[in-house]
Amino acid sequence: FVRNPISYTISMTGLDYPLGFGVTCFLISIGLSLNFILAFLRSGYKNVLAYILGVGGSLVLLVCVFSPTTHSGTTLDPVHSTAAVLFFILIMAAVFLFCFHKRRENKAYLPLAFSMLAILAMTLIVAYIMNILLDQRYGRTGLVEVVPLQFIFFFLFFENYTDKLKSETHEKKKIKA
């Protein structure tokens, strides 16, 4: 079930292990949705657009499960590819909005916000090069999926389960008290 992400995309693994692919995507979708909601609630962040982008993006991932790609030019391939790209754009946009809003509380959020944009841009450029310019002759790489996902997972972990990104104003108030 585990494949080298340099040589295989998550979807390519799903061709051989459809049940594992479905379960993995479902768990990623639910995990991201719940962690977005937790991060937003814990910080008092009330931007409706960010909620829609985060949870909606997570749910778009399920479209990938129900429109499997065969990488052979079937009618579902564009649906699958579009859903995958839309998933990353929506998720990264939600994290960007959240980090950009939180930059006033902690300076560390501003570089995180722009890191999200940089990773998204690099992901889209690499995906474009692999799929359009190289005409898929040189294979596909799962790195365009794994790198952004890991960045988001690490960010949400640090935001929700550690004190590393606590607001500087909160810390100053604690010291004065």
Side-chain angles (χ1 to χ4, degrees):
F1 183 65
V2 177
R3 298 264 173 91
N4 181 351
I6 294 174
S7 304
Y8 293 92
T9 64
I10 296 170
S11 301
M12 290 167 71
T13 303
L15 292 174
D16 295 331
Y17 304 98
L19 180 63
F21 175 66
V23 169
T24 300
C25 287
F26 178 76
L27 292 175
I28 289 171
S29 178
I30 297 301
L32 283 174
S33 294
L34 293 175
N35 275 289
F36 271 116
I37 292 168
L38 179 63
F40 294 169
L41 289 176
R42 286 183 67 197
S43 68
Y45 186 57
K46 293 180 171 57
N47 185 324
V48 175
L49 177 62
Y51 272 92
I52 292 170
L53 292 172
V55 175
S58 299
L59 296 176
V60 167
L61 181 60
L62 297 178
V63 173
C64 291
V65 175
F66 297 113
S67 62
T69 184
T70 60
H71 302 296
S72 63
T74 65
T75 55
L76 289 180
D77 284 351
V79 173
H80 181 90
S81 299
T82 302
V85 169
L86 189 60
F87 162 72
F88 282 113
I89 290 172
L90 294 176
I91 293 294
M92 294 295 222
V95 175
F96 173 80
L97 288 174
F98 180 74
C99 289
F100 196 74
H101 171 78
K102 300 274 290 181
R103 76 188 187 287
R104 291 182 203 105
E105 296 176 22
N106 186 334
K107 292 179 219 169
Y109 281 100
L110 192 59
L112 281 171
F114 287 106
S115 296
M116 268 316 147
L117 291 181
I119 288 173
L120 178 61
M122 287 186 292
T123 299
L124 293 174
I125 289 168
V126 169
Y128 177 78
I129 290 170
M130 295 298 289
N131 292 326
I132 306 298
L133 297 181
L134 297 179
D135 196 28
Q136 302 173 4
R137 289 181 296 231
Y138 299 101
R140 296 173 181 266
T141 178
L143 292 178
V144 296
E145 300 168 334
V146 173
V147 170
L149 269 177
Q150 291 304 314
F151 192 83
I152 292 167
F153 287 144
F154 283 125
F155 169 75
L156 288 171
F157 173 79
F158 281 107
E159 180 64 33
N160 288 332
Y161 305 107
T162 71
D163 290 336
K164 298 292 182 199
L165 295 174
K166 287 285 183 215
S167 70
E168 292 169 345
T169 55
H170 177 71
E171 292 300 321
K172 287 177 185 173
K173 287 179 186 175
K174 226 166 104 176
I175 292 170
K176 288 181 182 177

